[in-house]
């Protein structure tokens, strides 16, 4: 277990550094699409949610999983679409 | 398990890796408005890969609930993304932060129930952390949404012993957490209690924060939702979630810091300061003996604009509040047709979320190369004939530069007062959300144009048209 945890910790620390490095270069002009875009990708929890909703061990876990799927899907679909809508508004002279 | 399914599970980890790379590339392409839309597609493609491979990789026995959940969520997402007004983006992002938190808390709860027999101290810890952060993010975001949507007052709500109550709740949760990890892992009532206390805390930490500080709160809740995703990644031993969560968390923390720097305040001051409670002292500005507020007519303003060569438009939250972004663009266009050089100055905390003004002006078709950041535009005010302030207040208050006794002293502002003439479009003499009087309105080179920003702008457009 510890080794899985350690690998996860490596991944965590390194990707935080990558995250800061990239995101500090996003211009302030695009900070709103950045936020809605990160909303969309945080819908990756769907990966856990679909397993919870589809494993059907008992009704309660399935229901919890179902609501997680709903929340995650709203984030993914709504997040990407609204980000796209915004980004297409940015035009050069 | 069939060989086919086993191969798929092996394949799954490779797909997650590809997805993680695509997410990073997608965000990287957000660094320029030219590549940003494409980056968003790449990121969406990565999501499709990750979720798709999870669904078909054989761990699932019943697809009914998944299909129903995705259909419901997608429907809400599609409708919301079409209907939401650009002025309402802060509320929408606040709500999405909350849904992200809720999803993490729900997955954590479900995993807890699924794995009651195999709870190790490590698994219990990450499940509880994920539950705690997710639940807190959920209710905190709902309160932020309600404030931004003006379902509740945007004013800070403070009450006695606030910090002590919060501290007690945190210590209490910690104690329950230790008990659940070390003593009795399978205890559903206490597990629910952790979520309940976290939800109460989420409300308590956001209600004392005022409307003008919402950009910071939304950014901070954004980072919490990312942290919750990373924790869920530890629960599921899934590196893709850990990576995505870190990216979101880093983004939220970066933006939180940017907003704090732009207000010259520490995050602690924003979270615990109860800033902006004095928002009822509007009369003081009018009584200021050093000057008298001079209301001008549209005709006066048109005459000044006609004689100018360089104009900078400075939007603030008031532009969003009166949906005036199209009228702003209209005025900008007409001035350009008169041969005037027009630019737009954007303060980092103008509006209710990072980048809010840029999106609104982009919506009204202002080319993004005319939108200038504070550091870029500030040296230009000195050579500018007219700065037109549209519903901005604190971000142009010269007290930030000049008055050490002012609560906003030291905050970087747009130096509009250096322009030859400053026109301020304002509904009334009420102070801004920070509740601070603005000496700019009393300056000799300031022309106050009272009224709704949109109708004043339209009258200005009428005035300059055909000149």
């Amino acid at each position: 277990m510890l080794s899985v945890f350690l690998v996860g910790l490596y991944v965590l620390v390194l990707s935080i550094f990558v995250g800061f490095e990239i995101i500090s270069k996003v211009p302030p002009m695009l900070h709103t699409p950045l936020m809605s875009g990160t909303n969309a990708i945080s819908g990756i929890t769907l990966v856990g949610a679909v397993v919870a909703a589809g494993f059907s061990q008992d009704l309660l876990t399935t229901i919890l999983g179902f609501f997680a799927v709903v929340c995650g899907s709203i984030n993914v679909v709504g997040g990407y679409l609204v980000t796209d809508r915004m980004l297409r508004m940015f035009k050069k002279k | 398990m069939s060989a086919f399914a086993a191969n798929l599970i092996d394949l799954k980890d490779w797909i997650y890796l590809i997805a993680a790379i695509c997410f990073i590339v997608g965000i990287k392409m957000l660094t320029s408005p030219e590549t940003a839309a494409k980056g968003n597609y790449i990121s969406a493609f990565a999501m499709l890969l990750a979720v798709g491979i999870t669904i078909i990789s054989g761990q699932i026995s019943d697809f009914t609930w998944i299909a129903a959940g995705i259909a419901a969520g997608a429907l809400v997402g599609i409708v919301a993304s079409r209907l939401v007004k650009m002025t309402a983006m802060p509320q929408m992002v606040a709500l999405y932060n909350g849904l992200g938190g809720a999803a993490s808390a729900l997955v954590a709860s479900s995993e807890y129930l699924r794995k009651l027999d195999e709870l190790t101290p490590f698994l219990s810890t990450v499940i509880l952390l994920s539950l705690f952060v997710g639940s807190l993010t959920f209710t905190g975001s709902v309160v932020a949404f309600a404030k931004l949507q003006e379902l509740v007052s945007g004013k800070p709500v403070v009450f006695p012993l606030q910090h002590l109550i919060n501290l007690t709740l945190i210590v209490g949760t910690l104690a329950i957490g230790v008990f659940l990890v070390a003593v009795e892992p399978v205890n559903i009532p206490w597990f629910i209690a952790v979520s309940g206390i976290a939800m109460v805390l989420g409300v308590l930490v956001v209600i004392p924060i005022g409307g003008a500080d919402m950009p910071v709160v939304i950014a901070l809740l954004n980072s919490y939702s990312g942290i919750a995703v990373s924790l869920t990644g530890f629960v599921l031993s899934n590196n893709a979630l850990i990576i995505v969560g870190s990216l979101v968390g880093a983004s939220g923390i970066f933006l939180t810091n940017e907003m704090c720097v732009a207000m010259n305040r520490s995050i602690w001051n924003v979270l615990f300061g109860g800033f902006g409670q004095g928002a009822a002292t509007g009369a003081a500005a009018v009584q200021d003996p050093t000057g008298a507020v001079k209301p001008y007519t549209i005709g006066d303003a048109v005459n000044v604009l006609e004689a100018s060569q360089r104009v900078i438009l400075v939007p603030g939250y008031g532009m969003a509040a009166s949906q005036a972004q199209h009228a702003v663009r209209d005025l900008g266009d007409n001035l350009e047709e008169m041969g005037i050089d027009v630019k737009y100055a954007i303060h980092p905390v103008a509006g209710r979320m990072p980048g809010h003004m840029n999106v609104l002006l982009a919506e009204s078709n202002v080319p993004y190369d005319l939108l200038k950041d504070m550091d870029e535009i500030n040296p230009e005010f000195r050579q500018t004939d007219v700065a037109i302030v549209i519903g901005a207040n604190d971000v142009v208050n010269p007290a930030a530069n000049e008055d050490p006794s002012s609560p906003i002293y030291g905050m970087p502002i747009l130096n509009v007062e250096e322009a030859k003439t400053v026109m301020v479009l304002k509904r009334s003499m009420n102070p801004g959300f920070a509740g601070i009087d603005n000496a700019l309105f009393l300056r000799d080179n300031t022309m106050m144009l009272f009224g709704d920003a949109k109708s004043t702008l339209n009258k200005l457009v009428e005035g300059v048209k055909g000149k």
Side-chain angles (χ1 to χ4, degrees):
Chain A
M1 203 66 218
L2 191 69
S3 72
V4 176
F5 170 62
L6 259 184
V7 170
L9 212 55
Y10 269 95
V11 172
L12 178 80
V13 172
L14 292 177
S15 43
I16 288 174
F17 276 104
V18 170
F20 268 105
E21 202 55 42
I22 303 175
I23 281 146
S24 61
K25 296 196 176 74
V26 175
M29 183 202 304
L30 294 177
H31 278 169
T32 297
L34 171 67
M35 292 189 86
S36 65
T38 55
N39 280 154
I41 63 172
S42 64
I44 185 83
T45 351
L46 261 179
V47 165
V50 291
V51 174
F55 202 73
S56 64
Q57 200 172 29
D58 68 348
L59 187 64
L60 187 58
T61 53
T62 307
I63 291 174
L64 290 171
F66 167 75
F67 282 111
V69 171
V70 174
C71 293
S73 306
I74 295 177
N75 265 2
V76 169
V77 176
Y80 280 123
L81 287 179
V82 87
T83 306
D84 184 54
R85 191 178 142 201
M86 274 190 274
L87 289 175
R88 279 192 287 150
M89 290 170 180
F90 283 89
K91 293 191 192 80
K92 216 172 176 164
K93 200 175 183 182
Chain B
M1 187 185 292
S2 71
F4 176 66
N7 284 338
L8 270 180
I9 289 176
D10 197 32
L11 179 68
K12 195 167 78 168
D13 287 323
W14 287 99
I15 299 279
Y16 285 156
L17 177 64
I18 295 169
I21 294 169
C22 291
F23 284 130
I24 295 174
V25 171
I27 291 193
K28 198 168 160 49
M29 289 173 83
L30 261 181
T31 49
S32 155
E34 281 162 43
T35 54
K38 212 176 281 170
N40 194 45
Y41 292 138
I42 291 176
S43 172
F45 170 70
M47 185 63 74
L48 196 67
L49 278 184
V51 177
I53 191 71
T54 313
I55 292 178
I56 63 167
S57 66
Q59 283 173 292
I60 288 157
S61 51
D62 180 3
F63 292 91
T64 327
W65 290 96
I66 299 175
I70 291 181
L75 186 71
V76 173
I78 291 169
V79 172
S81 68
R82 291 285 141 82
L83 296 186
V84 65
K85 284 188 176 156
M86 284 300 134
T87 47
M89 278 314 295
Q91 291 92 303
M92 177 148 211
V93 167
L95 212 52
Y96 283 0
N97 288 339
L99 290 174
S104 295
L106 289 164
V107 169
S109 309
S110 169
E111 287 297 301
Y112 179 71
L113 294 173
R114 255 158 44 92
K115 295 181 177 161
L116 287 176
D117 301 334
E118 40 191 297
L119 288 171
T120 60
F122 169 74
L123 188 59
S124 292
T125 307
V126 287
I127 285 179
L128 287 169
L129 284 172
S130 174
L131 176 75
F132 181 80
V133 178
S135 306
L136 184 146
T137 308
F138 173 60
T139 51
S141 300
V142 169
V143 174
F145 168 81
K147 284 196 175 210
L148 289 160
Q149 188 69 25
E150 291 173 358
L151 300 175
V152 298
S153 163
K155 279 190 187 163
V157 178
V158 285
F159 50 86
L161 300 180
Q162 205 159 17
H163 300 326
L164 192 65
I165 292 171
N166 291 350
L167 191 67
T168 311
L169 290 175
I170 291 169
V171 173
T173 328
L174 212 59
I176 299 171
V178 171
F179 171 74
L180 280 172
V181 170
V183 184
E184 197 182 317
V186 181
N187 188 323
I188 292 172
W190 283 118
F191 183 82
I192 296 173
V194 169
S195 175
I197 297 175
M199 289 203 233
V200 172
L201 261 173
V203 174
L204 291 181
V205 294
V206 177
I207 50 169
I209 301 170
D213 290 345
M214 278 301 141
V216 183
V217 177
I218 303 176
L220 194 64
L221 289 167
N222 194 231
S223 77
Y224 288 176
S225 73
I227 293 166
V229 171
S230 275
L231 288 165
T232 312
F234 279 102
V235 172
L236 303 169
S237 305
N238 184 322
N239 287 331
L241 265 76
I242 298 178
I243 294 173
V244 168
S246 314
L247 294 176
V248 177
S251 166
I253 291 168
F254 172 80
L255 291 173
T256 305
N257 185 54
E258 289 283 289
M259 296 299 105
C260 287
V261 168
M263 297 197 296
N264 188 38
R265 290 166 56 202
S266 71
I267 181 68
W268 306 114
N269 182 277
V270 173
L271 294 181
F272 304 120
F275 206 67
Q277 292 168 69
T281 54
V286 190
Q287 292 158 4
D288 191 319
T290 57
V293 173
K294 296 172 281 270
Y296 284 82
T297 65
I298 299 291
D300 299 332
V302 169
N303 289 338
V304 173
L305 284 173
E306 271 181 317
S308 60
Q309 276 150 15
R310 293 160 75 89
V311 172
I312 297 178
L313 297 164
V314 185
Y317 179 65
M319 178 181 85
S322 79
Q323 300 273 351
Q325 63 270 32
H326 299 286
V328 170
R329 147 92 198 208
D330 214 9
L331 179 64
D333 276 0
N334 276 284
L335 294 176
E336 275 194 331
E337 274 168 34
M338 293 158 69
I340 298 170
D341 178 62
V342 178
K343 282 175 188 148
Y344 299 78
I346 316 286
H347 192 280
V349 290
R352 283 290 176 275
M353 75 181 293
H356 194 191
M357 295 294 116
N358 302 84
V359 168
L360 291 180
L361 291 171
E363 185 196 14
S364 66
N365 288 323
V366 174
Y368 65 76
D369 28 355
L370 297 185
L371 308 175
K372 305 291 180 191
D373 299 340
M374 176 166 65
D375 295 335
E376 200 183 345
I377 198 82
N378 258 346
E380 294 194 27
F381 281 108
R382 222 175 272 280
Q383 295 98 43
T384 297
D385 297 302
V386 185
I388 307 179
V389 180
I390 305 130
N393 191 345
D394 299 326
V395 297
V396 294
N397 192 338
N401 288 339
E402 298 159 2
D403 179 7
S405 69
S406 169
I408 59 166
Y409 182 67
M411 166 175 157
I413 57 159
L414 291 164
N415 297 323
V416 292
E417 81 277 5
E418 291 178 357
K420 265 186 215 130
T421 305
V422 185
M423 293 179 186
V424 180
L425 276 58
K426 206 170 173 340
R427 205 184 294 267
S428 68
M429 278 308 290
N430 289 333
F433 278 83
I436 301 152
D437 299 326
N438 194 337
L440 175 71
F441 306 153
L442 309 167
R443 296 285 163 102
D444 287 333
N445 63 338
T446 299
M447 300 172 74
M448 297 301 293
L449 299 168
F450 288 112
D452 175 65
K454 195 159 144 189
S455 77
T456 308
L457 285 163
N458 287 335
K459 284 180 208 158
L460 284 174
V461 171
E462 283 305 307
V464 296
K465 235 177 205 167
K467 297 271 178 179

